[in-house]
Amino acid sequence: MRLRPFMDPLPIPKVLKPKERGKNSTYYEVRMVEFFHQFHSQLSPTKVWGYEGQVPGPTIEVEQGETTNVLWINNLPDKHFLPIDRSLHSSGHNMPEVRTVVHLHGAEVEPESDGYPDAWYTNNFQKCGPRFTRKVYTYPNTQRPTALWYHDHALGITRLNVYAGLAGMYIIRSEEERALNLPSGIYEIPLVIQDKTFNEDGSLFYPSTFEVPNPPPDFPNPSITPGFAGDTIIVNGKAWPYLEVEQRKYRFRILNGSNERFYKMRLSSGQQFIQIGSDGGLLERPVRLDEITIAPAERMDVVIDFSNQEPGTSITLTNSARTPFDFGAEPDPSTDGRIMQFRVIPRTSEDTSTVPQFLSRIKRYHECDVKRTRDITIDVGQDEYARPLFMLNNHEFMDGVAEDPVVGELECWRIINTGLGVHPIHLHQIQFQILDRIPIDTAAYTQTGQIRYTGEPESPLPNERGWKDLVQAPPGYITRILVKFGPYTGRYVYHCHILEHEDHDMMRPLDVVKPKCKPEKKLCEE
Ligand code: C2O
Ligand code: CU
Ligand code: CU
């Protein structure tokens, strides 16, 4: 069935109320439950999993410096409703089918509250993964104000749990940011963009098979695929919704919560986006862009000014990104080529909000302060069933830790992509800065391991010059980022955020370690 676009109004996820509010802390309880959700008024209700019975989950709003404690409760059934691939690591038959663990993406938190993939647990904490340590997670919210998002991160089934609906937004605010007088209240709107495919009966479709030439007799069924993109674009839980906007400025907190799909967004009115923030908070200055490319898990803080539009005008937010990005199929203008629609109506009051020319100071890292450089190669191999296998530094998740940055020391990570597609690489614990991207001779690199530059370093795009927790690593380039882990030590992960890649071993553990004791120092803690 063809769903009619722009039929349903855009829902705004509810803001979650804390169960308890202390002097400088809040306590929340969030339940993961199975329920039915209507993605479009022409579609029968769809079985989903969501936080607090909502898809996307309720927005959690906190004040900078307030400590948030959250009990994330798994009240899900014992059986998954999406196809589980038992051949993946930690998804074997000895593992409970339904396991969850919540990660607050982009948050600076201690490892015990970061949602390590092996810290999963089942319904009512009956069974726990090897790295499970605590039920209540603590978020200090000491970082810069920004939009984060919480989502499931259980080892081997993250793609299924997130696709089932386990994702929501989390916004940190501050007085300083409020003083900027950006559009706020009902004029500040989160946009969680995802994609789904529906079966005739309204149920969610997720592929269960994958074909390789000459498969071995024990080829897994169900099998993971190298990526999945749905044909229906969902914003805040509705397919191709519309939003009535007054003739004035709006602030949109955009999140790409899709498994694999990138979006190259434009406004059909030809207007520009005014981007004011990236993953880790406000940029130094607003940047005007005709087009924004947003990778899975990236956030973009964007102002759109509708004040010069006539009432009655309809503006489509379009998408021109190929899938897989950026070498696959062109989007279809009637389905994945469009995201949502804005309908301009007259202003109900004067627009007194502003977009200041200076937003926030960003202290730049300098290459000359780098203590250590690490190369992270993106490798394409084959697993034991001849399926494509993406890896980082030719390692699988279960191979031991190879990255052990010292807390507080600046490092340069060089992500070397010799493959075909763009991989969105995400680091836990910190926000980093993008240094540049340098084109290389990939054939020479794969044959000899020698890096031969084929062009000048390319500076990050204007909207990438703020704090980031994810970087788009394009093929044929070395993408260089400057990272400084801290203030916490311990075990985290970094990974590709295409969820089918992440689940199929494009994820690695990482240990943030204390500085080694220098022999000349008398006092030593260890
Ligand atoms: Cu948004 Cu490790 O993930
Ligand atoms: Cu993360
Ligand atoms: Cu990838």
Side-chain angles (χ1 to χ4, degrees), residues 103-107 114 149 151 153 297 299 426-430 469 493-495 497 502:
H103 168 60
L104 181 55
H105 179 123
D114 195 49
W149 66 301
H151 64 77
H153 216 301
R299 282 91 63 216
H426 167 53
L427 276 54
H428 282 217
Q429 203 211 44
I430 41 101
D469 54 50
V493 291
Y494 72 96
H495 57 90
H497 221 292
E502 174 182 345

Side-chain angles (χ1 to χ4, degrees), residues 262-432:
F262 287 61
Y263 299 86
K264 227 187 235 188
M265 302 181 290
R266 274 178 186 267
L267 291 161
S268 65
S269 52
Q271 281 174 265
Q272 288 186 310
F273 302 99
I274 307 167
Q275 189 166 341
I276 56 172
S278 56
D279 300 329
L282 291 173
L283 299 171
E284 210 153 66
R285 292 164 196 289
V287 294
R288 292 178 168 271
L289 300 158
D290 294 317
E291 186 174 82
I292 290 180
T293 302
I294 188 166
E298 265 188 310
R299 282 91 63 216
M300 309 249 169
D301 195 348
V302 166
V303 171
I304 304 177
D305 188 352
F306 298 103
S307 56
N308 292 326
Q309 299 293 336
E310 285 299 313
T313 311
S314 295
I315 301 165
T316 308
L317 181 65
T318 61
N319 164 40
S320 64
R322 294 160 172 264
T323 308
F325 192 66
D326 195 20
F327 62 96
E330 294 268 7
D332 174 345
S334 72
T335 56
D336 54 332
R338 49 194 175 183
I339 300 168
M340 63 175 288
Q341 187 185 59
F342 300 104
R343 293 184 191 159
V344 183
I345 58 168
R347 230 185 344 260
T348 55
S349 60
E350 214 197 315
D351 182 3
T352 54
S353 68
T354 55
V355 180
Q357 275 320 296
F358 181 82
L359 296 163
S360 78
R361 171 86 48 218
I362 288 175
K363 240 185 106 206
R364 306 288 334 169
Y365 289 152
H366 297 289
E367 202 187 335
C368 54
D369 296 328
V370 167
K371 291 265 157 37
R372 173 159 187 177
T373 298
R374 291 178 199 275
D375 286 352
I376 312 286
T377 57
I378 293 175
D379 312 292
V380 198
Q382 276 193 353
D383 71 2
E384 63 263 52
Y385 307 104
R387 298 178 295 189
L389 178 68
F390 295 100
M391 285 172 292
L392 296 161
N393 279 343
N394 269 312
H395 288 303
E396 302 183 18
F397 180 68
M398 292 304 187
D399 300 339
V401 175
E403 279 71 49
D404 56 348
V406 173
V407 65
E409 277 191 0
L410 188 66
E411 298 200 343
C412 177
W413 286 33
R414 308 198 304 173
I415 305 159
I416 306 170
N417 185 351
T418 55
L420 271 183
V422 181
H423 295 265
I425 304 297
H426 167 53
L427 276 54
H428 282 217
Q429 203 211 44
I430 41 101
Q431 298 286 331
F432 55 77

Side-chain angles (χ1 to χ4, degrees), residues 23 26 32 43 54 57 128 130 141 144-145 155 200 216 250 365 373 375 416 517:
K23 202 164 162 274
T26 38
M32 301 164 222
L43 196 67
Q54 292 171 50
C128 299
N141 302 314
R144 292 158 62 97
L155 190 59
E200 277 301 313
Y250 280 77
Y365 289 152
T373 298
D375 286 352
I416 306 170
C517 295

Side-chain angles (χ1 to χ4, degrees), residues 174-209:
S174 76
E175 268 318 317
E176 205 180 315
E177 191 182 295
R178 268 188 284 272
L180 294 174
N181 188 31
L182 295 160
S184 64
I186 57 167
Y187 305 112
E188 182 194 355
I189 295 177
L191 299 178
V192 180
I193 305 175
Q194 300 179 297
D195 54 348
K196 311 265 179 230
T197 295
F198 299 99
N199 298 312
E200 277 301 313
D201 63 358
S203 59
L204 274 184
F205 169 83
Y206 189 88
S208 60
T209 54

